[in-house]
Amino acid sequence: MSKRQNIALKPIEEVLTFWDILTHDERHFIQNAYSVLHFKKNEVIQSEGDTPTHLMILASGKVKVYKAGFSSRPQIVRLLKPGEHFGYRAIIANELNSTTAIAFEATTIYTISADNFLSILRHNNAFCYRFLEELAFDLAESDARTVNLTQKHIRGRLAGALLFLVQNYGLEEDGATISIYLAREDLANLSNMTTSNAIRTLASFANEEIITVDGRKIKIIDAEKLRKISKLG
Amino acid sequence: MSKRQNIALKPIEEVLTFWDILTHDERHFIQNAYSVLHFKKNEVIQSEGDTPTHLMILASGKVKVYKAGFSSRPQIVRLLKPGEHFGYRAIIANELNSTTAIAFEATTIYTISADNFLSILRHNNAFCYRFLEELAFDLAESDARTVNLTQKHIRGRLAGALLFLVQNYGLEEDGATISIYLAREDLANLSNMTTSNAIRTLASFANEEIITVDGRKIKIIDAEKLRKISKLG
DNA sequence: GTAAATTTGTGTTTTATAACATAGTTCTTA
DNA sequence: TAAGAACTATGTTATAAAACACAAATTTAC
């Protein structure tokens, strides 16, 4: 992990989506027990195979979570935005980290130690249930991704990835530009294809006037068509 | 769902792996609130897209859980054995069923209604935590499957599937025969390939004396080699 | 116990996508 | 602001696996 700094930072009670379900005592406890970590662009936050030590909550920035593949092609399994948690699955399952997390951009993270996290899980049922819901949701997503990536053709996979980005990060004020700028390589690692093919297919989409591309900025022109391509492989 | 019958049946307190963490009252409650369902070979137990109604616990038999693919090729995501639960993810996430479950063979299932299940989840922290653990474990499995299926070549995928079957259902008394007899098509749906390719690849493995095949009975001869193939794609 | 249906097996052709090669372009950083 | 590194782009070739076609074997149903 990384050194600390001190930049303007949203207070923990505004970042944690589960703040409302904590008891008075727990809030107090956490306010004294959390840490803040800062990561620069492309810094590794946690590594696949490491012992998990903390629940992490993204305060600002963007994080990609991936599994190292065999063929030197990592598979991105989650993209995180502020307010979202990670690093806790392995704590609960009592396993080593199954994924690596990297900061896409300068990122600030609140951390709560595994012991403290487990202690609250064990004592606050609503808290436990909240994480149960989250994992239940993520599991369906993961299974759906398996089918998406194994059964669709390249165009369908890339279209699906673009729609996922829209859903996940939303659009800019123009109502069209996807609010995250990914390298072609990341786009490829999200949709299980080579970088060349991500580039090529993106160019096709632009040619067909489904999107426009300006460097890493992608504007959605015809979302309906994109959805169709995503569905029909 | 299906009609009831009355065959010799393990009592619920012996089937439920979470019996020990229920309170006296909850045990009492469940003993009056469960139902038993019987399914014949190939009967559908629940369908993708349906509203989830019950937590299901497999008392006897074998069940496959899969997602319907696009290309008419379903993807098997879990294979269940007695004692294992299913059908509860969608209840927790408050979604429709994301998978279909089918009985592989004559199967008996204990069911507990969604309301009752949720009520215990909400009141018994240890119970909630047990399911949290289960989902945490399943999520890593699902992510790992994504990478397995997208990045390995056919031989690696099939080798992985065979090892999975061994791990999941174990071996017969001879210490070599896998304790589940799957159709080639199911083997294919487990490892993301066409049936022809499952047949062909299985034949190659037999040729290379890594396994022997007798109808649907598969004997593992060289587990080490199988592991190697699974790893190196 | 025979017909029909399903499953298994094998050969051939086609195709989607990876791999490779190379060049232009844009970002870093010294 | 120049030099190098990283990223984007595009053409060509190679190949893994699907698609198709059909035959043999086995299971199921009547």
Side-chain angles (χ1 to χ4, degrees):
Chain A
M1 299 205 187
S2 176
K3 77 217 112 142
R4 301 185 184 195
Q5 298 167 20
N6 232 342
I7 320 175
L9 175 64
K10 259 197 177 177
I12 192 163
E13 60 269 24
E14 283 179 32
V15 172
L16 302 204
T17 56
F18 51 77
W19 191 254
D20 57 309
I21 54 176
L22 295 176
T23 64
H24 245 277
D25 284 358
E26 285 162 353
R27 290 179 192 178
H28 228 82
F29 178 65
I30 281 191
Q31 259 159 346
N32 293 306
Y34 75 86
S35 298
V36 181
L37 296 174
H38 295 276
F39 294 90
K40 285 179 289 189
K41 192 177 170 172
N42 292 326
E43 254 189 297
V44 174
I45 301 169
Q46 63 164 222
S47 293
E48 200 171 337
D50 283 1
T51 303
T53 58
H54 292 81
L55 161 67
M56 317 231 184
I57 305 105
L58 193 51
S60 71
K62 282 165 187 156
V63 167
K64 68 173 160 183
V65 179
Y66 65 88
K67 278 187 83 69
F70 308 79
S71 55
S72 78
R73 189 197 301 144
Q75 174 64 49
I76 296 177
V77 295
R78 285 178 77 202
L79 289 176
L80 303 173
K81 48 180 180 298
E84 293 187 316
H85 330 113
F86 66 103
Y88 65 92
R89 189 212 63 81
I91 297 174
I92 292 168
N94 197 23
E95 295 174 340
L96 301 178
N97 287 332
S98 58
T99 51
T100 300
I102 282 192
F104 253 131
E105 47 182 64
T107 288
T108 309
I109 289 172
Y110 285 115
T111 73
I112 295 167
S113 77
D115 283 348
N116 290 338
F117 174 57
L118 284 172
S119 162
I120 301 177
L121 274 181
R122 294 288 198 179
H123 290 100
N124 183 331
N125 189 251
F127 185 80
C128 188
Y129 191 80
R130 179 70 67 94
F131 279 87
L132 187 69
E133 274 182 307
E134 190 163 313
L135 286 179
F137 182 79
D138 287 350
L139 179 58
E141 265 213 333
S142 177
D143 283 342
R145 178 172 39 246
T146 302
V147 175
N148 279 324
L149 295 183
T150 54
Q151 305 206 349
K152 285 190 200 168
H153 286 176
I154 273 202
R155 286 169 58 89
R157 300 206 298 272
L158 186 64
L162 294 178
L163 292 169
F164 167 77
L165 292 176
V166 171
Q167 189 214 312
N168 210 54
Y169 286 108
L171 300 170
E172 295 183 351
E173 305 78 52
D174 65 359
T177 306
I178 302 176
S179 288
I180 186 172
Y181 305 164
L182 292 182
R184 303 289 189 269
E185 191 182 355
D186 285 320
L187 231 37
N189 292 343
L190 200 54
S191 24
N192 183 37
M193 62 185 67
T194 56
T195 305
S196 315
N197 276 329
I199 290 166
R200 242 187 277 268
T201 310
L202 215 54
S204 301
F205 286 174
N207 238 34
E208 298 165 41
E209 303 188 328
I210 300 167
I211 60 174
T212 62
V213 177
D214 172 20
R216 295 187 180 181
K217 273 191 205 180
I218 298 174
K219 230 185 233 185
I220 309 286
I221 305 299
D222 191 343
E224 202 37 62
K225 207 161 183 181
L226 214 51
R227 253 175 252 121
K228 213 185 248 170
I229 294 171
S230 172
K231 262 199 193 149
L232 305 179
Chain B
M1 297 202 189
S2 178
K3 76 213 113 141
R4 300 185 186 195
Q5 300 167 21
N6 233 342
I7 320 175
L9 175 64
K10 257 198 178 177
I12 192 162
E13 60 268 25
E14 283 179 31
V15 171
L16 302 203
T17 57
F18 51 76
W19 192 255
D20 56 307
I21 54 176
L22 296 175
T23 64
H24 245 278
D25 285 357
E26 286 163 352
R27 289 180 192 179
H28 228 82
F29 178 65
I30 282 192
Q31 257 159 346
N32 293 305
Y34 76 86
S35 298
V36 181
L37 296 174
H38 295 275
F39 294 90
K40 285 178 290 189
K41 192 177 172 175
N42 293 325
E43 256 190 295
V44 174
I45 300 170
Q46 65 165 220
S47 293
E48 199 171 339
D50 284 0
T51 304
T53 59
H54 292 81
L55 160 67
M56 316 231 185
I57 306 105
L58 193 50
S60 71
K62 282 166 185 154
V63 167
K64 67 173 160 184
V65 178
Y66 65 87
K67 278 188 83 68
F70 308 80
S71 55
S72 78
R73 189 195 304 141
Q75 174 63 49
I76 296 177
V77 296
R78 286 178 77 203
L79 289 176
L80 303 173
K81 50 180 178 298
E84 294 187 315
H85 329 113
F86 67 102
Y88 66 91
R89 189 212 63 80
I91 297 174
I92 293 168
N94 198 24
E95 295 174 339
L96 300 178
N97 287 331
S98 58
T99 51
T100 300
I102 283 193
F104 254 132
E105 47 182 64
T107 288
T108 308
I109 289 172
Y110 284 115
T111 74
I112 293 167
S113 78
D115 284 349
N116 290 338
F117 174 57
L118 284 171
S119 162
I120 302 176
L121 274 180
R122 294 287 198 181
H123 291 100
N124 183 332
N125 189 252
F127 184 80
C128 188
Y129 190 80
R130 178 71 66 95
F131 280 86
L132 187 69
E133 274 182 308
E134 191 163 313
L135 286 179
F137 182 78
D138 287 350
L139 179 58
E141 265 214 333
S142 178
D143 284 342
R145 177 172 40 244
T146 302
V147 175
N148 278 323
L149 294 183
T150 55
Q151 304 204 350
K152 285 189 201 169
H153 285 177
I154 273 201
R155 287 170 58 90
R157 300 207 296 276
L158 186 65
L162 293 178
L163 292 169
F164 166 77
L165 291 177
V166 171
Q167 188 214 312
N168 210 55
Y169 286 108
L171 299 171
E172 295 184 352
E173 305 78 55
D174 65 359
T177 305
I178 302 176
S179 288
I180 186 173
Y181 304 164
L182 292 182
R184 304 290 189 269
E185 191 182 356
D186 286 320
L187 231 38
N189 293 343
L190 199 55
S191 26
N192 184 36
M193 62 186 65
T194 54
T195 305
S196 315
N197 275 329
I199 290 165
R200 243 186 275 268
T201 310
L202 214 55
S204 301
F205 286 175
N207 238 33
E208 297 165 42
E209 303 188 327
I210 300 167
I211 60 174
T212 62
V213 178
D214 171 20
R216 294 188 180 178
K217 273 191 203 180
I218 298 173
K219 230 186 234 186
I220 309 286
I221 305 299
D222 191 342
E224 202 36 64
K225 208 161 182 183
L226 215 49
R227 253 175 250 120
K228 214 186 246 171
I229 293 172
S230 171
K231 263 200 191 146
L232 305 179

